[in-house]
Amino acid sequence: MLLRCTADERGTRHLVSDAHSDWYELARKCDWDLSYVDERDVFPAEVSGEPWLPGASWRGWDEPYRTSFHDYLTAQQAKESGIEALRSVLATHDERARIDRGWNAAVKLHSATLPLAEFAAVIGNLRAARFGRDSAWRSTSLLGALDELRHTQIPLKIAHQLVASDPQFDWAHRLLHTDDWVAIAARHMVDELLVAADAVEFAIATHFVFETGFTNLQFVGLTALARRVGDPLIEHMLHSIQTDEARHAQIGGAVLEQIVAADPERAQRLVDKWFWRSWQLFGIVTGFAMDYLAPLAARQRSFREFVQEWIVEQFDRSLRAYGLRRPWYWDEFVAALGNYHHMVYAAAYTHRASVWFDLAMPGPDERSWLAAKYPDTWAAYDAIWSCVDDRWSSAGPGVEWYTHGATPIGFCELCQFVLAGGSPEANSARVVVDDGGRTRMFCSAPCQWIYEQERERYAEHEGVVARILAGKAPPNLLALLRYFGLDARVWGRDVHGGLHPWRTGAGSTR
Amino acid sequence: MKEATLDDAAIPLHVFVRGDVLGLVLVVASSAQISDLAAGARTAAACRVPPTGRSSVWYAGVRLDPQLTIAQAGLRPLTRVDVVPEVDP
């Protein structure tokens, strides 16, 4: 494909395919002058988003990286061929058995939480492909929908090939169809972010905050980790997906620019809301993988170091470039970098039968590494892992239940994750009694704030605790695991089943 | 056998053991003492925080008398209670 650099009337440079350059600009900017129907009926505020602006004010909408449908298909076909070749060779039981068990658990976590969320993103992109306010935005969203369909299918196809030898991979497709607590939390976010959001909120939340702000964690950090682990299938899958994300993520900034100009406080509220919700998701999905599930030899930087470089610094710059402030809870976010994923991981490890992937207990060398990376916070978590380690020593290998909680756990009314905010010394959970006399528990001040901004959107949602109290879910742990859709074939265990290398004399790490 | 009364209602509480990583939902009888609640919370969190030593129970910034019952302490369903392991002098 031949590319040519052009400059528009504002001096912005664009790469365009030479073959199509003559007609491309005309095709991407093709908005009708409406004559017999009101613009508000064609683009209703409820679906197109607010603030509702006349079409003329959107005509300057511009995406810096452009592609035609023909060029899109050509590039995607080449990428598909590459991934398909790797999948046919590497998505095998023998290949997965060669790879570190903790890393395989990270792959199962990602394989389940992301593909069907990507499918929900198809819906969000298609909504924008119809109700986005400028033709170029709509065209780019259509390609975004095709991208997300691909991001659904690739990991599902890989996981499907592995189900026969490992039923935990079945959860790549199954998770979001269950009432597992992770599924309840994931649906709560995904449905709002990708299925229910109007085109403006979708663009700012998904493209600007989630994709531009956070997915570097996945596509730069995890890709590099996969390479060092020796997992070329996952490395190339992530890289292939990243090249799509980089293209359609540009929608976010172009929409945000318009909304900041028209209603800066709404723009700030949307950024503040989705930055927190995105942080919680990535804190768990990526934080687990980087600081616990990847083998120590493959790790270079901690999750916090990665977030500081790729999110704190870059996102901060982006916010200033758009004239926005840091989210009001910024100090709480920065403090959470040293705590949140450690708290949720220890909670998940000691309730591992409630998830579909195994979890790794950090050994002595890993705990030393974590202590060096988190000198300000790790002592509290080291005490917890000492307790877990002592109980494994008392129980002996195979006795999972002695290091497993049996009491129901609390969940946040907003994010639906466990109440693991703040620190072990000062949990940030807060109780609010609402107008109807119902007691609601939030894991953090930002979650409470998000809830109170749009309480009519969230008030009727039933989390795990509400279901148990209403008699819709069982209180007994074993029965609750079945309600979650889990059984002994699938539920999570310690990756070594208690036969830890440092206990058996085989080494001090995994 | 003691006849059931309103005082024996089961009360679910959000309990946070200091040093632990998450909040637990503990269901206690409203006639149970605060000291029973502390013991139950320490047992529930035992796989992460060793259940040794004494504990104090705090509600809305106030340390509760261990002899009080849940009902006497005025603990409403799903409210937050903190259990703080005490360091012996």
Side-chain angles (χ1 to χ4, degrees):
Chain A
M1 180 174 66
L2 292 173
L3 293 177
R4 187 165 57 82
C5 188
T6 66
D8 63 19
E9 62 277 7
R10 295 192 298 186
T12 307
R13 291 181 177 182
H14 306 282
L15 284 176
V16 295
S17 160
D18 230 19
H20 310 296
S21 57
D22 290 344
W23 54 264
Y24 182 70
E25 285 302 310
L26 174 64
R28 66 176 279 278
K29 277 289 189 185
C30 188
D31 286 282
W32 299 105
D33 291 326
L34 304 175
S35 58
Y36 58 88
V37 62
D38 191 276
E39 193 177 13
R40 283 184 180 272
D41 292 333
V42 180
F43 299 105
E46 294 84 352
V47 196
S48 286
E50 291 181 293
W52 194 92
L53 305 171
S57 57
W58 287 99
R59 291 302 162 258
W61 195 96
D62 190 29
E63 79 279 27
Y65 177 80
R66 300 166 183 171
T67 189
S68 69
F69 188 61
H70 175 275
D71 292 341
Y72 174 83
L73 292 182
T74 304
Q76 298 302 85
Q77 198 275 335
K79 286 195 281 185
E80 282 301 301
S81 300
I83 283 291
E84 183 60 16
L86 282 170
R87 186 193 65 79
S88 61
V89 175
L90 297 177
T92 64
H93 169 73
D94 288 348
E95 174 66 8
R96 298 320 300 176
R98 179 187 67 76
I99 289 168
D100 179 85
R101 279 179 279 188
W103 178 255
N104 261 328
V107 171
K108 291 170 188 171
L109 169 60
H110 281 77
S111 297
T113 45
L114 296 180
L116 291 197
E118 300 274 15
F119 190 67
V122 175
I123 298 170
N125 275 286
L126 287 177
R127 178 172 293 119
R130 162 61 182 84
F131 292 101
R133 297 302 311 281
D134 183 79
S135 54
W137 173 5
R138 294 194 291 273
S139 300
T140 312
S141 295
L142 187 61
L143 302 184
L146 293 172
D147 290 338
E148 302 297 9
L149 199 56
R150 179 171 180 265
H151 306 169
T152 308
Q153 291 170 336
I154 293 171
L156 284 183
K157 198 169 181 185
I158 290 171
H160 183 258
Q161 201 157 319
L162 299 167
V163 170
S165 58
D166 188 341
Q168 288 184 328
F169 274 108
D170 192 29
W171 278 61
H173 190 264
R174 193 160 178 224
L175 172 69
L176 288 187
H177 298 293
T178 72
D179 282 318
D180 184 87
W181 66 272
V182 181
I184 291 172
R187 278 199 302 267
H188 193 280
M189 179 182 181
V190 164
D191 284 354
E192 182 182 10
L193 174 69
L194 306 170
V195 179
D198 60 55
V200 165
E201 181 163 2
F202 177 79
I204 294 174
T206 305
H207 297 313
F208 180 73
V209 178
F210 195 89
E211 292 173 346
T212 309
F214 280 91
T215 53
N216 275 331
L217 277 175
Q218 300 286 110
F219 299 130
V220 180
L222 271 194
T223 303
L225 257 183
R227 186 183 316 123
R228 289 195 293 275
V229 168
D231 191 351
L233 179 62
I234 301 305
E235 176 195 346
H236 286 93
M237 180 189 78
L238 289 169
H239 182 261
S240 182
I241 289 174
Q242 189 270 339
T243 53
D244 293 344
E245 296 283 342
R247 178 174 19 75
H248 66 239
Q250 64 180 330
I251 296 170
V255 173
L256 182 62
E257 193 178 319
Q258 293 287 324
I259 303 304
V260 168
D263 188 348
E265 284 311 306
R266 174 161 170 75
Q268 185 75 51
R269 266 200 313 279
L270 290 175
V271 168
D272 289 3
K273 168 186 175 182
W274 288 107
F275 185 83
W276 185 255
R277 298 207 73 180
S278 301
W279 148 247
Q280 289 176 307
L281 178 71
F282 283 102
I284 295 170
V285 175
T286 318
F288 280 22
M290 286 187 171
D291 279 358
Y292 289 96
L293 297 175
L296 184 58
R299 297 181 211 164
Q300 287 182 329
R301 286 185 294 174
S302 69
F303 174 64
R304 177 164 69 179
E305 289 169 333
F306 208 91
V307 174
Q308 280 170 335
E309 178 176 347
W310 287 91
I311 296 179
V312 174
E313 292 175 22
Q314 295 197 15
F315 197 70
D316 202 25
R317 272 199 300 275
S318 294
L319 289 177
R320 276 187 269 117
Y322 286 98
L324 294 172
R325 306 179 298 274
R326 288 172 168 177
W328 59 267
Y329 49 75
W330 191 258
D331 290 346
E332 189 167 346
F333 160 67
V334 171
L337 294 178
N339 287 293
Y340 185 62
H341 66 299
H342 295 314
M343 292 180 78
V344 182
Y345 189 84
Y349 180 87
T350 51
H351 293 87
R352 54 196 175 276
S354 70
V355 294
W356 65 96
F357 56 94
D358 299 333
L359 287 106
M361 180 183 164
D365 286 354
E366 289 167 301
R367 284 162 58 182
S368 296
W369 185 84
L370 288 161
K373 294 293 186 184
Y374 296 90
D376 51 332
T377 59
W378 181 253
Y381 305 103
D382 204 62
I384 284 167
W385 290 111
S386 288
C387 179
V388 174
D389 197 34
D390 289 346
R391 289 173 77 92
W392 268 117
S393 295
S394 303
V399 187
E400 297 270 345
W401 293 103
Y402 199 55
T403 52
H404 200 287
T407 303
I409 57 185
F411 295 90
C412 175
E413 284 270 356
L414 190 276
C415 67
Q416 308 294 322
F417 288 125
V418 296
L419 298 167
S423 68
E425 282 303 298
N427 192 299
S428 59
R430 54 211 18 241
V431 171
V432 175
V433 179
D434 68 15
D435 296 342
R438 180 169 160 181
T439 302
R440 298 185 186 275
M441 177 65 81
F442 299 96
C443 70
S444 59
C447 274
Q448 181 186 346
W449 173 79
I450 293 168
Y451 178 89
E452 289 175 349
Q453 293 286 308
E454 296 174 279
R455 63 178 69 212
E456 71 287 351
R457 179 171 259 195
Y458 306 115
E460 298 304 315
H461 183 271
E462 281 190 325
V464 174
V465 173
R467 294 179 193 203
I468 291 174
L469 295 177
K472 296 176 182 175
N476 169 278
L477 180 64
L478 273 175
L480 189 61
L481 296 179
R482 292 191 197 100
Y483 176 83
F484 285 166
L486 293 153
D487 60 36
R489 264 181 345 122
V490 175
W491 64 45
R493 293 178 167 80
D494 178 273
V495 295
H496 290 291
L499 282 169
H500 303 114
W502 61 91
R503 222 183 299 282
T504 61
S508 56
T509 187
R510 288 186 282 128
Chain B
M1 187 174 165
K2 186 180 157 192
E3 189 177 343
T5 68
L6 279 180
D7 282 349
D8 294 321
I11 307 286
L13 297 170
H14 282 107
V15 180
F16 296 81
V17 176
R18 183 169 294 177
D20 200 4
V21 289
L22 77 168
L24 301 169
V25 178
L26 227 58
V27 180
V28 291
S30 58
S31 58
Q33 290 186 320
I34 294 299
S35 56
D36 299 329
L37 169 63
R42 297 297 302 276
T43 301
C47 62
R48 293 174 299 275
V49 180
T52 52
R54 292 179 302 161
S55 311
S56 56
V57 177
W58 295 72
Y59 168 60
V62 176
R63 181 178 176 148
L64 299 178
D65 179 344
Q67 305 304 316
L68 285 179
T69 66
I70 301 295
Q72 287 167 338
L75 300 183
R76 297 180 57 82
L78 296 176
T79 199
R80 172 177 177 158
V81 177
D82 287 273
V83 175
V84 181
E86 291 186 344
V87 180
D88 289 328

